Amino acid sequence: MSAPIGVFDSGLGGLTVAAAIRAALPREAIVYLGDTARVPYGTRSPATIVRYARNNVAFLKRQDVKLVVIACNTVSAHALGGLADGGDVPVLGVIRPGARVAVEASRGGTIAVLGTPVTVRSGAYEQAIHELDPNREVVQIACPLFVPLVEEGWTAHEVTRLVAQEYLGPLAGTRVDTIILGCTHYPLLREVITETAQRLLGRSVEVVDSATAVARDVAAFLQRAGLEAPEGDGSPPQRFCVTDAPDRVGDVARRFWGEQLGAFEHVDVFMGGPPGGGQA
Ligand code: DGL
């Protein structure tokens, strides 16, 4: 089926997931939606996040996507069940794939989850890890400043190192052997996070994210459902949409996507309603 895969995030971090889908499934068309008008989601209430997520899914459905990928941990933690239930378009999230990768990578030690305050409060990763391994010790750390630092492009800045040192301080003296980057922005801070964690722990640590695992799940799902794109001639279309200031996203977006990417379109996901007032 040649319909596109819809991918959305609160902002541009989800491009790390879209890029992994693109690499794994080069025949598939993708429509990416970044809700840049309302980012960040990670400090908002669950009810607001669910409302925003519904706007985004409705927009992607209007683009006739065959599958929606929630490329945002914050939304996956709170809204996946509600968005997936009873809908006509299947919806996949990022938490379970991330938990699976972490359990596979770990050598039996404690797993640390780094995420937005809302993701951490939801306990969604801890629950997903315990579904795989009920006895596994999990620690969670909310890292609210990481998202704005990444959006600012300060991925290797001294300030970011200091912030990482502060957030990751509680890892010292623990049995942590694996860290989940539980926010789609954090893969851009992998180096800083890995260095800081290893210094604090005094040994090496696995640092994993869900992007590649999500791409694998998407491939398996499309195959099972008979929804794979037919053999084509040339590159399938990729659309990049944002809800605000498309002219301001270029540099940051390129860092997430990792290669040349087309122009961003400005789109309205609110259908005339007030931003944040949203309609289901
Ligand atoms: N990219 C979002 C996530 O994966 C976090 C950004 C935000 O706070 O909106 O959780």
Side-chain angles (χ1 to χ4, degrees), residues 45-62:
S45 72
T48 298
I49 292 164
V50 170
R51 199 166 66 233
Y52 289 178
R54 287 204 174 124
N55 293 152
N56 298 339
V57 171
F59 168 81
L60 290 172
K61 284 187 182 173
R62 292 196 293 277

Side-chain angles (χ1 to χ4, degrees), residues 33 55 59 62-63 242-243 266-273 275:
L33 172 65
N55 293 152
F59 168 81
R62 292 196 293 277
Q63 315 313 306
V242 284
T243 52
H266 180 245
V267 296
D268 180 7
V269 299
F270 319 117
M271 294 293 282

Side-chain angles (χ1 to χ4, degrees), residues 76-97:
S76 299
H78 284 284
L80 176 59
L83 294 174
D85 285 350
D88 42 350
V89 175
V91 180
L92 299 182
V94 291
I95 303 260
R96 284 211 168 119

Side-chain angles (χ1 to χ4, degrees), residues 9-10 13-14 39-43 71-75 116 119 147 182-185:
D9 180 30
S10 55
V39 72
Y41 285 12
T43 45
C72 176
N73 293 265
T74 305
V75 175
T116 64
T119 298
V147 168
C183 169
T184 50
H185 280 67

